[in-house]
């Protein structure tokens, strides 16, 4: 499986000629979903879910389908009848040849005064990769090879991120959700996560990739 990091929280997975894209949001490239056979969306926030990015992918490939939670599906089903599937925690399905398990229910707390929305994470191919969306969800009872790590967000701090890596205990962690992290802060984050996370940790520039599995 090949993973390509797109801007912010979006990643592109390719296996056996099939392409799966997760979370093409407003910070992602305009063509982030173009070429996808399947698209997964973790939640409704604009940096993970952008209608224009999704429309570009769906129109480029009339056979492409979307899997997402109800709050997103209800905004898309009318435009793409029969091609949008609603999922929730505990569901399993196959999308473009990738086996997917759904984990989690709620977005992380941004502030107690802000109501929490729904959020799901996607475990791909039995744990080859896990994308948690905007939550520090631990896929209970599952081993994770590559954790896509939401390294910087209004709802987290670095201590929580380090403890999350320790709890999931993946073979490696790759940064996502990083568009708001300025370049001069990255070495500090890298140093702390590398030293304290207890696993191989790295980041990819947008457009760069790595082989998983």
């Amino acid at each position: 499986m090949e993973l390509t990091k797109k801007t912010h929280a979006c990643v592109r997975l390719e296996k056996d000629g099939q392409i799966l894209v997760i979370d093409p949001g407003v910070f992602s490239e305009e063509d982030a979903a173009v070429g996808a056979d399947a698209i997964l969306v973790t939640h409704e926030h604009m940096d993970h879910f952008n209608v224009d990015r999704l429309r570009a992918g769906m129109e480029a490939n009339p056979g492409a389908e979307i899997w997402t939670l109800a709050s997103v599906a209800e905004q898309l089903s009318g435009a793409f009848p029969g091609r949008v599937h609603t999922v929730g925690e505990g569901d399993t399905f196959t999308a473009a040849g990738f086996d997917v398990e759904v984990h989690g229910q709620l977005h992380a707390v941004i502030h107690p005064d802000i109501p929490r929305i729904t959020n799901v994470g996607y475990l791909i191919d039995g744990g080859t990769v896990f994308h948690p969306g905007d939550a520090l969800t631990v896929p209970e009872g599952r081993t994770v090879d590559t954790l896509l790590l939401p390294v910087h967000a209004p709802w987290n701090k670095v201590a929580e991120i380090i403890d999350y890596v320790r709890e999931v205990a993946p073979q490696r962690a790759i940064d996502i959700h990083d568009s708001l992290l300025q370049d001069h802060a990255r070495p500090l984050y890298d140093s702390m996560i590398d030293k304290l996370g207890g696993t191989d940790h790295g980041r990819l520039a947008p457009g760069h990739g790595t082989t998983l599995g």
Side-chain angles (χ1 to χ4, degrees), residues 3-178:
L3 178 147
T4 301
K5 170 75 165 59
K6 309 300 282 186
T7 301
H8 197 54
C10 182
V11 297
R12 186 182 186 97
L13 303 175
E14 184 168 0
K15 182 185 70 172
D16 299 332
Q18 299 272 76
I19 294 173
L20 174 70
V21 172
I22 307 176
D23 279 3
V26 71
F27 297 149
S28 306
E29 295 78 0
E30 292 186 4
D31 64 350
V34 173
D37 299 290
I39 304 168
L40 310 181
V41 180
T42 63
H43 66 288
E44 64 196 81
H45 283 161
M46 67 176 185
D47 54 330
H48 297 255
F49 162 50
N50 178 264
V51 172
D52 291 338
R53 307 290 189 270
L54 291 171
R55 182 181 294 112
M58 297 291 275
E59 291 178 351
N61 178 4
E65 298 178 75
I66 296 172
W67 282 260
T68 186
L69 37 64
S71 60
V72 173
E74 65 188 15
Q75 300 182 54
L76 298 172
S77 297
F80 306 107
R83 299 171 64 189
V84 180
H85 311 281
T86 302
V87 298
E89 184 177 38
D91 288 341
T92 61
F93 57 94
T94 299
F98 294 83
D99 294 327
V100 184
E101 298 177 13
V102 183
H103 293 264
Q105 299 182 52
L106 291 173
H107 192 286
V109 175
I110 301 172
H111 186 277
D113 290 350
I114 299 176
R116 294 175 74 181
I117 62 170
T118 51
N119 175 94
V120 294
Y122 297 108
L123 188 75
I124 311 297
D125 280 358
T128 299
V129 61
F130 181 58
H131 191 310
D134 273 7
L136 302 182
T137 300
V138 177
E140 297 293 341
R142 308 298 286 171
T143 299
V144 176
D145 296 334
T146 297
L147 172 65
L148 300 178
L149 183 66
V151 69
H152 182 262
W155 48 266
N156 70 22
K157 59 184 180 181
V158 71
E160 296 171 331
I161 294 304
I162 290 167
D163 287 345
Y164 180 53
V165 175
R166 289 177 172 180
E167 187 171 6
V168 177
Q171 292 184 17
R172 65 174 170 176
I174 296 175
D175 289 352
I176 59 168
H177 214 288
D178 53 1

